[in-house]
Amino acid sequence: MKLWHVALPCAPFQTLTYAHPSCFPADSLQPGQRVLVPLGRSTRLGVLVRETDDAPEGVTLKEIVWPAEQSPLLDERYMKLAENLAARQMLPLGRILEVLLPHGFRTVKISFRLFDKEFPSRMSGIELTRCSAEERVRLHELWTEGKMQVSAKRVAQKEQEYCFLTQDPPWPVRPSAKRQKKLLEYLWEHGPTPRPALTRELGADVSTPLKTLVTNGVIRLGAAPQYGDPEDCACERIPDTPALSGEQATSLEQLLGAMRSEHPKPHLVFGVTGSGKTLVYLKLAEEALSQGKSVLLLAPEVALACHLYRAVKTHFPDRDVLLYHGYQGPATRETSFLSCTAENGPKIIVGTRSALFLPVPRLGLIVLDEEHDGSFKQEERMPYQAKEVAHFRACSDRALLVLGSATPDLKTFQAARQGAISSVTMEHRVGAGTLPDITLVDLRVEKESVGPLTPTAAEALRHVVEKGEQAIIMLNRRGYAPLVYCLDCHSVMRCPHCDVGLTYHKNREQLVCHYCGYSLDFPCRCTCGSSNFLPMGEGTESIEETLSTVLPAGTGVLRMDRDSTRRPGRMEEILDAFARQEAQVLVGTQMLSKGHHFPNVTLVAVPDGDMGLNLPDYRAAERTFQLLVQVAGRAGRGEKPGNVLIQTRDPEHYCWKYVRENDYAGFFEHEVVLRKKYAYPPFVHLGLVRMNYPKEWEDGEARIMDLVQGLCEAGARLGVRVLGPAPAPIAQLRGRKRFQCLLKGKDWPSIRKVYAHLYNSLSRYTKIRLSLDLDPVNML
């Protein structure tokens, strides 16, 4: 009897063994094909993994009910990718497929339409299991003749009706309209939401305030949101046939040589901001397409992916170009997924990290632009590093992998130095643009006078505005004030669930936790009964307000942060307005630090350059260097020279010397010595074990200590150093106490084995949750 391993991309997410359907020929099913299988009293959708000879003794195996498609949705290489991820993350293959497959390909209700008088016009999977052997043979004949077709039932139409906010706060509602405010706050925090989800989260009585707000035009109803419409993306288009600079031509020649080899070696494109890396990517794509191979071009964020998409569409007006990212609606993503499975010629896919999981045939080129960006690492659901996935796919397809950045990840640069990957260097900007001058402003000597800006920075900003030029101010802290201090009891207002300070958002008149979303109307009362508060610190919201009062009348000021870009399309509106010079000043967080090209920007000001330097993270200096070099690169990209002002209270920190000189190589040499001294990547492999338990559990910390004792013993046997457990930097989050351990080992298998020992001991501690993050990006 022929047997199959079948992975279930839905609960219970296991890989189970089933018998080949007796009415089908032995070679009629293939790995990667979706099938209906019996489970309990129902049928589930599964994916064929491989044939097996391991029949459990004394067990009668059930047969696969029926295939859900005529040919496999996923090819052999895609299945190997999924299995590789399952092994890396120590998760069932079904869990991996749940993440990789679009929702409609794993949760739809499958039935079958029949065009034969002997049978009903429609049959479900359960009804197929009740057919006799003779009937199933006849059904197979209908299947091969095309008279039995799969029908996939999508979600009901009401599930696709989303609720959208039409305006930013403050909203025109009465203070006493509590239910309306609650609904608005929910949509503000969670974005466009299906109506049934609102009912589940806010109760059945949400329909009345929803109807009122729709009538008043504050909320609208519509189809699933489409974020990041490329046609609305405001980024300068690359000319059709720009001339290559000498550095671009030399780099391209080396990369083309690598692409034409039988086993292309990964390459780092190390080019300063504005050096023309995008054009090199496009020329490489031309070569891949000429070989009949597809191309994946990835950016870390949706706005940058839209920018790249526009450049690709301009360069390849007659080619099949797809834009793919996680904020698109389900139907759009499913259509793109199916398009990639169709054998209709090479494609160009532009997107964010999730585009790596499209079943693109015959890949010839994979590009990760801004490869150092932390957004290429996913930490929720299934943690993965996009660079690792891209490397696996490139090796599998014998494609060229290109990692591009002006400030590469230190591990990537070390790999290039050691010859594990190759590299090309582009040290000069193309065209008339030159790298900006960077000046440090010592906050110990010169105090802030205009909000968080010193007189030097304020005067430079006024000068730029008076000349009709543009400026960017980056403060990586949203809201109006990061802390609210009670003047009577001398305490800070804190989130009861996360034990972090609440941020004051003036437009919303609320105190908000940026970790769990908890909010409190402001003004309010402190636990001591006082309402005597002092907002402390500066956020992007307060800078926007301050600048509008001190700059010349009529000066436009825009703000781009997570709060101002929550509504679909709002980010594109802000970038478009700034590109058209409708505003002279753009204030924002790190989301404006990279990829954007505004030739009229001649000043970048960073009010608090020290913000990231003192975080409890071994990458703190590296991230600060990368962020500031990237945001500095927004200035002087046109014919006018640029200037950058960075305010700091620690001008002697070694990081600033290399930022001022735009000296990545010097920073690398300094930082890599420290990494080696303290045994951090790239000299060791690092795993972060996160543990948490309900804050009400009094024995939680003692049980954590008991659990980790076995972890230390396993680490000693396997040569893995275990540091901790210690309270996480954010010790309480969403009502759970948090601890973590660092695992330092010589390779990934040993770290996984140590974690497996810990995980297997977890059955004695049902209240504790565990997770393993390999090569962690977020240490908080």
Side-chain angles (χ1 to χ4, degrees):
M1 179 190 300
K2 188 174 184 179
L3 306 178
W4 285 97
H5 285 321
V6 180
L8 302 180
C10 56
F13 301 105
Q14 298 300 314
T15 298
L16 305 176
T17 304
Y18 288 91
H20 188 87
S22 56
C23 61
F24 277 72
D27 59 351
S28 57
L29 301 182
Q30 302 175 50
Q33 197 167 1
R34 293 180 302 159
V35 293
L36 283 180
V37 295
L39 189 67
R41 298 181 179 180
S42 65
T43 58
R44 300 287 179 87
L45 195 62
V47 178
L48 294 178
V49 180
R50 67 176 62 85
E51 297 179 35
T52 179
D53 297 325
D54 298 330
E57 294 185 8
V59 175
T60 301
L61 294 176
K62 295 182 179 180
E63 288 187 2
I64 293 169
V65 177
W66 210 265
E69 54 213 7
Q70 291 282 357
S71 58
L73 177 70
L74 310 174
D75 62 19
E76 181 182 1
R77 282 177 293 188
Y78 197 92
M79 291 301 296
K80 286 182 178 179
L81 169 66
E83 292 183 87
N84 178 267
L85 283 168
R88 281 174 178 264
Q89 304 303 329
M90 301 171 63
L91 291 172
L93 180 58
R95 280 286 186 190
I96 302 299
L97 292 172
E98 179 202 21
V99 176
L100 303 195
L101 296 180
H103 186 269
F105 292 154
R106 52 185 168 80
T107 60
V108 292
K109 295 181 179 180
I110 298 291
S111 61
F112 299 87
R113 296 181 61 194
L114 293 105
F115 302 90
D116 190 273
K117 295 181 180 180
E118 296 181 31
F119 298 96
S121 60
R122 188 178 295 273
M123 294 183 71
S124 66
I126 287 293
E127 290 171 332
L128 283 175
T129 63
R130 297 168 183 159
C131 292
S132 66
E134 292 77 10
E135 289 174 326
R136 289 170 65 84
V137 169
R138 176 56 184 155
L139 286 171
H140 178 261
E141 293 175 358
L142 297 178
W143 175 259
T144 55
E145 295 170 2
K147 296 180 180 179
M148 181 180 181
Q149 299 177 358
V150 176
S151 176
K153 184 180 180 182
R154 301 185 61 83
V155 292
Q157 185 63 36
K158 66 177 182 179
E159 288 280 356
Q160 297 180 1
E161 187 174 56
Y162 278 69
C163 302
F164 298 79
L165 288 175
T166 62
Q167 56 187 270
D168 296 342
W171 298 293
V173 297
R174 301 187 311 274
S176 59
K178 301 295 185 183
R179 290 190 299 169
Q180 292 183 31
K181 289 185 67 176
K182 185 177 181 180
L183 172 56
L184 291 169
E185 289 293 341
Y186 184 89
L187 290 176
W188 183 252
E189 287 295 331
H190 296 85
T193 306
R195 289 189 66 174
L198 287 180
T199 302
R200 290 193 299 270
E201 296 295 328
L202 303 179
D205 60 349
V206 74
S207 58
T208 300
L210 176 60
K211 182 178 180 180
T212 301
L213 292 169
V214 170
T215 301
N216 294 339
V218 183
I219 293 177
R220 71 174 175 85
L221 304 178
Q226 297 295 325
Y227 290 87
D229 185 348
E231 299 305 318
D232 296 332
C233 187
C235 296
E236 183 178 74
R237 294 183 182 226
I238 293 178
D240 291 341
T241 55
L244 291 171
S245 69
E247 284 186 331
Q248 286 176 312
T250 301
S251 300
L252 179 61
E253 183 179 357
Q254 180 177 334
L255 292 166
L256 287 174
M259 179 181 288
R260 291 164 183 155
S261 65
E262 186 175 354
H263 297 281
K265 193 174 184 179
H267 272 67
L268 167 66
V269 176
F270 177 35
V272 300
T273 56
S275 59
K277 295 185 289 293
T278 301
L279 181 57
V280 174
Y281 304 154
L282 296 177
K283 293 293 186 181
L284 286 173
E286 285 182 15
E287 174 65 20
L289 294 171
S290 69
Q291 297 176 9
K293 296 180 179 180
S294 295
V295 176
L296 264 176
L297 301 175
L298 305 183
E301 298 170 0
V302 172
L304 299 182
C306 289
H307 179 191
L308 193 54
Y309 178 87
R310 288 281 295 272
V312 172
K313 286 292 289 183
T314 301
H315 198 83
F316 299 102
D318 301 322
R319 285 288 187 173
D320 186 6
V321 184
L322 294 177
L323 177 67
Y324 188 91
H325 54 79
Y327 289 111
Q328 292 174 320
T332 301
R333 281 178 283 160
E334 290 165 22
T335 300
S336 297
F337 198 95
L338 280 178
S339 175
C340 290
T341 63
E343 292 292 341
N344 53 4
K347 297 175 174 59
I348 307 177
I349 313 295
V350 181
T352 53
R353 65 182 182 228
S354 59
L356 274 171
F357 300 126
L358 289 172
V360 185
R362 298 199 65 213
L363 273 172
L365 173 67
I366 303 175
V367 175
L368 272 68
D369 195 24
E370 309 291 357
E371 66 87 26
H372 66 277
D373 196 282
S375 296
F376 279 122
K377 173 69 182 293
Q378 174 165 299
E379 296 180 326
E380 302 81 21
R381 297 179 69 195
M382 180 193 73
Y384 68 89
Q385 172 56 259
K387 283 181 281 191
E388 293 180 355
V389 177
H391 185 264
F392 181 91
R393 293 209 67 177
C395 291
S396 178
D397 286 49
R398 296 183 180 180
L400 173 64
L401 172 61
V402 173
L403 306 173
S405 178
T407 55
D409 184 293
L410 192 140
K411 297 190 297 296
T412 303
F413 200 74
Q414 173 77 341
R417 282 288 183 92
Q418 294 179 334
I421 65 175
S422 299
S423 65
V424 297
T425 303
M426 299 161 64
E427 298 179 345
H428 303 92
R429 285 185 164 180
V430 296
T434 57
L435 291 173
D437 294 327
I438 299 177
T439 303
L440 295 182
V441 180
D442 190 345
L443 290 173
R444 299 172 303 180
V445 177
E446 188 174 354
K447 304 301 181 184
E448 300 96 327
S449 63
V450 180
L453 297 178
T454 60
T456 297
E459 180 58 32
L461 182 62
R462 291 191 193 96
H463 185 60
V464 164
V465 170
E466 289 169 357
K467 291 195 300 180
E469 297 168 358
Q470 291 178 294
I472 287 176
I473 301 176
M474 191 204 74
L475 179 64
N476 205 21
R477 187 165 54 210
R478 59 192 175 99
Y480 190 87
L483 295 174
V484 176
Y485 183 76
C486 177
L487 294 172
D488 289 335
C489 70
H490 311 293
S491 64
V492 172
M493 295 292 287
R494 308 184 77 83
C495 174
H497 308 296
C498 302
D499 198 29
V500 297
L502 296 173
T503 299
Y504 175 40
H505 288 253
K506 189 174 183 179
N507 283 351
R508 297 165 63 183
E509 297 181 334
Q510 284 199 326
L511 303 179
V512 179
C513 174
H514 286 171
Y515 290 91
C516 73
Y518 170 83
S519 61
L520 191 65
D521 289 339
F522 189 83
C524 59
R525 290 191 178 276
C526 179
T527 52
C528 71
S530 169
S531 295
N532 190 15
F533 292 112
L534 174 66
M536 299 179 64
E538 301 280 351
T540 51
E541 194 177 319
S542 59
I543 294 181
E544 179 188 27
E545 179 183 272
T546 301
L547 293 179
S548 64
T549 62
V550 300
L551 292 176
T555 302
V557 179
L558 291 169
R559 175 168 57 92
M560 192 172 82
D561 55 25
R562 183 180 173 188
D563 296 314
S564 67
T565 58
R566 288 181 187 270
R567 289 191 291 115
R570 181 58 183 151
M571 179 184 293
E572 290 78 10
E573 292 173 7
I574 294 170
L575 293 173
D576 190 29
F578 193 64
R580 293 196 303 264
Q581 301 184 35
E582 295 176 7
Q584 286 181 265
V585 182
L586 177 60
V587 178
T589 55
Q590 66 177 5
M591 55 196 308
L592 54 73
S593 66
K594 51 191 173 294
H596 308 300
H597 181 75
F598 302 112
N600 200 42
V601 170
T602 58
L603 174 67
V604 169
V606 182
D608 190 354
D610 304 322
M611 184 178 298
L613 275 179
N614 299 312
L615 290 175
D617 187 338
Y618 75 94
R619 286 192 178 106
E622 179 186 5
R623 288 179 171 177
T624 299
F625 176 87
Q626 290 169 337
L627 176 61
L628 294 182
V629 169
Q630 290 286 343
V631 74
R634 300 315 105 202
R637 297 175 74 93
E639 296 181 356
K640 303 171 185 176
N643 291 286
V644 180
L645 296 177
I646 300 174
Q647 298 179 174
T648 173
R649 291 177 176 84
D650 186 14
E652 286 81 25
H653 193 285
Y654 70 87
C655 177
W656 301 127
K657 174 181 183 293
Y658 304 110
V659 170
R660 291 181 63 183
E661 298 172 359
N662 193 43
D663 182 8
Y664 177 86
F667 174 81
F668 169 84
E669 296 295 348
H670 190 287
E671 185 72 11
V672 81
V673 171
L674 297 177
R675 297 282 183 91
K676 188 172 185 178
K677 177 180 178 180
Y678 295 109
Y680 278 108
F683 300 101
V684 298
H685 289 75
L686 194 66
L688 182 65
V689 178
R690 295 187 174 96
M691 301 164 280
N692 63 76
Y693 58 85
K695 66 178 183 179
E696 300 84 9
W697 191 24
E698 295 181 358
D699 296 334
E701 185 171 350
R703 300 287 78 79
I704 288 283
M705 297 301 175
D706 291 343
L707 185 61
V708 173
Q709 184 176 355
L711 179 70
C712 295
E713 294 171 356
R717 290 195 305 270
L718 293 166
V720 174
R721 186 181 178 190
V722 179
L723 302 178
I730 300 176
Q732 182 176 307
L733 193 63
R734 298 181 180 89
R736 298 183 72 86
K737 295 283 188 179
R738 306 171 73 237
F739 287 77
Q740 56 192 34
C741 287
L742 274 178
L743 307 181
K744 293 183 176 181
K746 62 183 183 298
D747 52 40
W748 294 124
S750 59
I751 290 177
R752 291 191 186 95
K753 288 177 182 177
V754 171
Y755 176 74
H757 178 89
L758 181 69
Y759 187 83
N760 293 334
S761 304
L762 191 62
S763 58
R764 305 196 306 272
Y765 309 97
T766 56
K767 295 183 180 181
I768 297 177
R769 296 177 185 169
L770 282 182
S771 67
L772 173 64
D773 188 355
L774 298 173
D775 192 19
V777 169
N778 179 12
M779 305 292 289
L780 299 180

PDB file of all heavy atoms in Angstrom, residues 536-559:
ATOM      1  N   MET A 536       6.750  65.523  30.177  1.00  0.00           N
ATOM      2  CA  MET A 536       8.212  65.629  30.140  1.00  0.00           C
ATOM      3  C   MET A 536       8.749  65.036  28.844  1.00  0.00           C
ATOM      4  O   MET A 536       8.284  63.988  28.386  1.00  0.00           O
ATOM      5  CB  MET A 536       8.828  64.895  31.334  1.00  0.00           C
ATOM      6  CG  MET A 536       8.408  65.447  32.680  1.00  0.00           C
ATOM      7  SD  MET A 536       9.129  64.528  34.051  1.00  0.00           S
ATOM      8  CE  MET A 536      10.863  64.863  33.809  1.00  0.00           C
ATOM      9  N   GLY A 537       9.758  65.695  28.292  1.00  0.00           N
ATOM     10  CA  GLY A 537      10.378  65.202  27.075  1.00  0.00           C
ATOM     11  C   GLY A 537       9.673  65.714  25.831  1.00  0.00           C
ATOM     12  O   GLY A 537       8.676  66.433  25.893  1.00  0.00           O
ATOM     13  N   GLU A 538      10.214  65.347  24.686  1.00  0.00           N
ATOM     14  CA  GLU A 538       9.693  65.792  23.397  1.00  0.00           C
ATOM     15  C   GLU A 538       9.431  64.592  22.500  1.00  0.00           C
ATOM     16  O   GLU A 538      10.190  63.627  22.498  1.00  0.00           O
ATOM     17  CB  GLU A 538      10.700  66.712  22.697  1.00  0.00           C
ATOM     18  CG  GLU A 538      11.075  67.953  23.482  1.00  0.00           C
ATOM     19  CD  GLU A 538      10.043  69.050  23.374  1.00  0.00           C
ATOM     20  OE1 GLU A 538       9.108  68.909  22.552  1.00  0.00           O
ATOM     21  OE2 GLU A 538      10.164  70.044  24.100  1.00  0.00           O
ATOM     22  N   GLY A 539       8.364  64.673  21.735  1.00  0.00           N
ATOM     23  CA  GLY A 539       8.070  63.691  20.704  1.00  0.00           C
ATOM     24  C   GLY A 539       7.838  64.407  19.385  1.00  0.00           C
ATOM     25  O   GLY A 539       7.836  65.643  19.311  1.00  0.00           O
ATOM     26  N   THR A 540       7.631  63.638  18.326  1.00  0.00           N
ATOM     27  CA  THR A 540       7.435  64.250  17.009  1.00  0.00           C
ATOM     28  C   THR A 540       6.224  65.173  16.978  1.00  0.00           C
ATOM     29  O   THR A 540       6.223  66.192  16.277  1.00  0.00           O
ATOM     30  CB  THR A 540       7.284  63.158  15.937  1.00  0.00           C
ATOM     31  OG1 THR A 540       6.279  62.219  16.353  1.00  0.00           O
ATOM     32  CG2 THR A 540       8.588  62.413  15.712  1.00  0.00           C
ATOM     33  N   GLU A 541       5.202  64.821  17.741  1.00  0.00           N
ATOM     34  CA  GLU A 541       3.986  65.631  17.760  1.00  0.00           C
ATOM     35  C   GLU A 541       4.261  67.021  18.345  1.00  0.00           C
ATOM     36  O   GLU A 541       3.771  68.040  17.841  1.00  0.00           O
ATOM     37  CB  GLU A 541       2.919  64.901  18.571  1.00  0.00           C
ATOM     38  CG  GLU A 541       1.511  65.445  18.424  1.00  0.00           C
ATOM     39  CD  GLU A 541       0.511  64.619  19.206  1.00  0.00           C
ATOM     40  OE1 GLU A 541       0.627  63.378  19.201  1.00  0.00           O
ATOM     41  OE2 GLU A 541      -0.374  65.229  19.825  1.00  0.00           O
ATOM     42  N   SER A 542       5.055  67.075  19.422  1.00  0.00           N
ATOM     43  CA  SER A 542       5.353  68.368  20.047  1.00  0.00           C
ATOM     44  C   SER A 542       6.300  69.193  19.175  1.00  0.00           C
ATOM     45  O   SER A 542       6.204  70.430  19.133  1.00  0.00           O
ATOM     46  CB  SER A 542       5.950  68.161  21.442  1.00  0.00           C
ATOM     47  OG  SER A 542       7.139  67.396  21.383  1.00  0.00           O
ATOM     48  N   ILE A 543       7.244  68.541  18.477  1.00  0.00           N
ATOM     49  CA  ILE A 543       8.124  69.286  17.569  1.00  0.00           C
ATOM     50  C   ILE A 543       7.309  69.930  16.456  1.00  0.00           C
ATOM     51  O   ILE A 543       7.508  71.095  16.100  1.00  0.00           O
ATOM     52  CB  ILE A 543       9.197  68.363  16.966  1.00  0.00           C
ATOM     53  CG1 ILE A 543      10.154  67.866  18.039  1.00  0.00           C
ATOM     54  CG2 ILE A 543       9.981  69.093  15.879  1.00  0.00           C
ATOM     55  CD1 ILE A 543      11.248  66.978  17.514  1.00  0.00           C
ATOM     56  N   GLU A 544       6.368  69.177  15.882  1.00  0.00           N
ATOM     57  CA  GLU A 544       5.520  69.725  14.824  1.00  0.00           C
ATOM     58  C   GLU A 544       4.789  70.957  15.328  1.00  0.00           C
ATOM     59  O   GLU A 544       4.707  71.980  14.630  1.00  0.00           O
ATOM     60  CB  GLU A 544       4.522  68.654  14.362  1.00  0.00           C
ATOM     61  CG  GLU A 544       3.574  69.130  13.275  1.00  0.00           C
ATOM     62  CD  GLU A 544       2.478  68.120  12.984  1.00  0.00           C
ATOM     63  OE1 GLU A 544       2.123  67.333  13.882  1.00  0.00           O
ATOM     64  OE2 GLU A 544       1.956  68.135  11.859  1.00  0.00           O
ATOM     65  N   GLU A 545       4.266  70.889  16.531  1.00  0.00           N
ATOM     66  CA  GLU A 545       3.536  72.027  17.094  1.00  0.00           C
ATOM     67  C   GLU A 545       4.462  73.215  17.323  1.00  0.00           C
ATOM     68  O   GLU A 545       4.133  74.361  16.994  1.00  0.00           O
ATOM     69  CB  GLU A 545       2.873  71.607  18.412  1.00  0.00           C
ATOM     70  CG  GLU A 545       2.092  72.716  19.100  1.00  0.00           C
ATOM     71  CD  GLU A 545       1.516  72.251  20.429  1.00  0.00           C
ATOM     72  OE1 GLU A 545       0.392  71.720  20.415  1.00  0.00           O
ATOM     73  OE2 GLU A 545       2.186  72.415  21.468  1.00  0.00           O
ATOM     74  N   THR A 546       5.652  72.967  17.882  1.00  0.00           N
ATOM     75  CA  THR A 546       6.592  74.040  18.174  1.00  0.00           C
ATOM     76  C   THR A 546       7.045  74.756  16.905  1.00  0.00           C
ATOM     77  O   THR A 546       7.073  75.992  16.841  1.00  0.00           O
ATOM     78  CB  THR A 546       7.814  73.490  18.922  1.00  0.00           C
ATOM     79  OG1 THR A 546       7.394  72.882  20.144  1.00  0.00           O
ATOM     80  CG2 THR A 546       8.811  74.589  19.223  1.00  0.00           C
ATOM     81  N   LEU A 547       7.387  73.993  15.878  1.00  0.00           N
ATOM     82  CA  LEU A 547       7.904  74.592  14.649  1.00  0.00           C
ATOM     83  C   LEU A 547       6.864  75.470  13.966  1.00  0.00           C
ATOM     84  O   LEU A 547       7.207  76.499  13.366  1.00  0.00           O
ATOM     85  CB  LEU A 547       8.375  73.504  13.689  1.00  0.00           C
ATOM     86  CG  LEU A 547       9.599  72.702  14.126  1.00  0.00           C
ATOM     87  CD1 LEU A 547       9.929  71.647  13.080  1.00  0.00           C
ATOM     88  CD2 LEU A 547      10.803  73.603  14.367  1.00  0.00           C
ATOM     89  N   SER A 548       5.616  75.072  14.033  1.00  0.00           N
ATOM     90  CA  SER A 548       4.570  75.862  13.376  1.00  0.00           C
ATOM     91  C   SER A 548       4.416  77.240  14.000  1.00  0.00           C
ATOM     92  O   SER A 548       3.837  78.138  13.389  1.00  0.00           O
ATOM     93  CB  SER A 548       3.238  75.111  13.430  1.00  0.00           C
ATOM     94  OG  SER A 548       2.807  74.966  14.779  1.00  0.00           O
ATOM     95  N   THR A 549       4.942  77.435  15.219  1.00  0.00           N
ATOM     96  CA  THR A 549       4.820  78.723  15.900  1.00  0.00           C
ATOM     97  C   THR A 549       6.081  79.577  15.795  1.00  0.00           C
ATOM     98  O   THR A 549       6.012  80.790  16.005  1.00  0.00           O
ATOM     99  CB  THR A 549       4.482  78.515  17.389  1.00  0.00           C
ATOM    100  OG1 THR A 549       5.560  77.787  18.021  1.00  0.00           O
ATOM    101  CG2 THR A 549       3.194  77.725  17.547  1.00  0.00           C
ATOM    102  N   VAL A 550       7.238  78.975  15.490  1.00  0.00           N
ATOM    103  CA  VAL A 550       8.489  79.746  15.486  1.00  0.00           C
ATOM    104  C   VAL A 550       9.044  79.993  14.088  1.00  0.00           C
ATOM    105  O   VAL A 550       9.880  80.882  13.911  1.00  0.00           O
ATOM    106  CB  VAL A 550       9.563  79.034  16.342  1.00  0.00           C
ATOM    107  CG1 VAL A 550       9.104  78.897  17.774  1.00  0.00           C
ATOM    108  CG2 VAL A 550       9.936  77.681  15.760  1.00  0.00           C
ATOM    109  N   LEU A 551       8.604  79.241  13.094  1.00  0.00           N
ATOM    110  CA  LEU A 551       9.081  79.464  11.733  1.00  0.00           C
ATOM    111  C   LEU A 551       8.252  80.560  11.063  1.00  0.00           C
ATOM    112  O   LEU A 551       7.152  80.886  11.520  1.00  0.00           O
ATOM    113  CB  LEU A 551       9.006  78.168  10.926  1.00  0.00           C
ATOM    114  CG  LEU A 551       9.979  77.062  11.349  1.00  0.00           C
ATOM    115  CD1 LEU A 551       9.738  75.802  10.529  1.00  0.00           C
ATOM    116  CD2 LEU A 551      11.431  77.523  11.198  1.00  0.00           C
ATOM    117  N   PRO A 552       8.756  81.139   9.994  1.00  0.00           N
ATOM    118  CA  PRO A 552       8.001  82.195   9.318  1.00  0.00           C
ATOM    119  C   PRO A 552       6.592  81.746   8.955  1.00  0.00           C
ATOM    120  O   PRO A 552       6.340  80.565   8.664  1.00  0.00           O
ATOM    121  CB  PRO A 552       8.847  82.467   8.064  1.00  0.00           C
ATOM    122  CG  PRO A 552      10.233  82.064   8.443  1.00  0.00           C
ATOM    123  CD  PRO A 552      10.075  80.907   9.374  1.00  0.00           C
ATOM    124  N   ALA A 553       5.665  82.706   8.977  1.00  0.00           N
ATOM    125  CA  ALA A 553       4.267  82.409   8.654  1.00  0.00           C
ATOM    126  C   ALA A 553       4.174  81.773   7.268  1.00  0.00           C
ATOM    127  O   ALA A 553       4.840  82.204   6.326  1.00  0.00           O
ATOM    128  CB  ALA A 553       3.440  83.690   8.716  1.00  0.00           C
ATOM    129  N   GLY A 554       3.345  80.758   7.170  1.00  0.00           N
ATOM    130  CA  GLY A 554       3.149  80.067   5.899  1.00  0.00           C
ATOM    131  C   GLY A 554       4.084  78.911   5.659  1.00  0.00           C
ATOM    132  O   GLY A 554       3.947  78.209   4.651  1.00  0.00           O
ATOM    133  N   THR A 555       5.047  78.680   6.566  1.00  0.00           N
ATOM    134  CA  THR A 555       5.956  77.547   6.410  1.00  0.00           C
ATOM    135  C   THR A 555       5.206  76.235   6.656  1.00  0.00           C
ATOM    136  O   THR A 555       4.612  76.036   7.723  1.00  0.00           O
ATOM    137  CB  THR A 555       7.134  77.644   7.395  1.00  0.00           C
ATOM    138  OG1 THR A 555       7.824  78.865   7.183  1.00  0.00           O
ATOM    139  CG2 THR A 555       8.096  76.484   7.191  1.00  0.00           C
ATOM    140  N   GLY A 556       5.219  75.357   5.696  1.00  0.00           N
ATOM    141  CA  GLY A 556       4.533  74.082   5.846  1.00  0.00           C
ATOM    142  C   GLY A 556       5.373  73.090   6.635  1.00  0.00           C
ATOM    143  O   GLY A 556       6.575  72.942   6.381  1.00  0.00           O
ATOM    144  N   VAL A 557       4.750  72.434   7.608  1.00  0.00           N
ATOM    145  CA  VAL A 557       5.419  71.411   8.416  1.00  0.00           C
ATOM    146  C   VAL A 557       4.601  70.131   8.343  1.00  0.00           C
ATOM    147  O   VAL A 557       3.402  70.144   8.638  1.00  0.00           O
ATOM    148  CB  VAL A 557       5.575  71.858   9.885  1.00  0.00           C
ATOM    149  CG1 VAL A 557       6.247  70.750  10.698  1.00  0.00           C
ATOM    150  CG2 VAL A 557       6.381  73.142   9.975  1.00  0.00           C
ATOM    151  N   LEU A 558       5.214  69.049   7.945  1.00  0.00           N
ATOM    152  CA  LEU A 558       4.559  67.738   7.876  1.00  0.00           C
ATOM    153  C   LEU A 558       5.185  66.812   8.900  1.00  0.00           C
ATOM    154  O   LEU A 558       6.358  66.951   9.252  1.00  0.00           O
ATOM    155  CB  LEU A 558       4.702  67.124   6.481  1.00  0.00           C
ATOM    156  CG  LEU A 558       3.929  67.803   5.347  1.00  0.00           C
ATOM    157  CD1 LEU A 558       4.373  67.247   4.007  1.00  0.00           C
ATOM    158  CD2 LEU A 558       2.428  67.620   5.534  1.00  0.00           C
ATOM    159  N   ARG A 559       4.408  65.838   9.356  1.00  0.00           N
ATOM    160  CA  ARG A 559       4.905  64.845  10.322  1.00  0.00           C
ATOM    161  C   ARG A 559       4.665  63.452   9.774  1.00  0.00           C
ATOM    162  O   ARG A 559       3.563  63.141   9.315  1.00  0.00           O
ATOM    163  CB  ARG A 559       4.194  65.018  11.676  1.00  0.00           C
ATOM    164  CG  ARG A 559       4.548  63.953  12.698  1.00  0.00           C
ATOM    165  CD  ARG A 559       4.049  64.354  14.092  1.00  0.00           C
ATOM    166  NE  ARG A 559       2.629  64.605  14.115  1.00  0.00           N
ATOM    167  CZ  ARG A 559       1.703  63.690  14.412  1.00  0.00           C
ATOM    168  NH1 ARG A 559       2.060  62.451  14.700  1.00  0.00           N
ATOM    169  NH2 ARG A 559       0.423  64.013  14.428  1.00  0.00           N
TER     170      ARG A 559
END
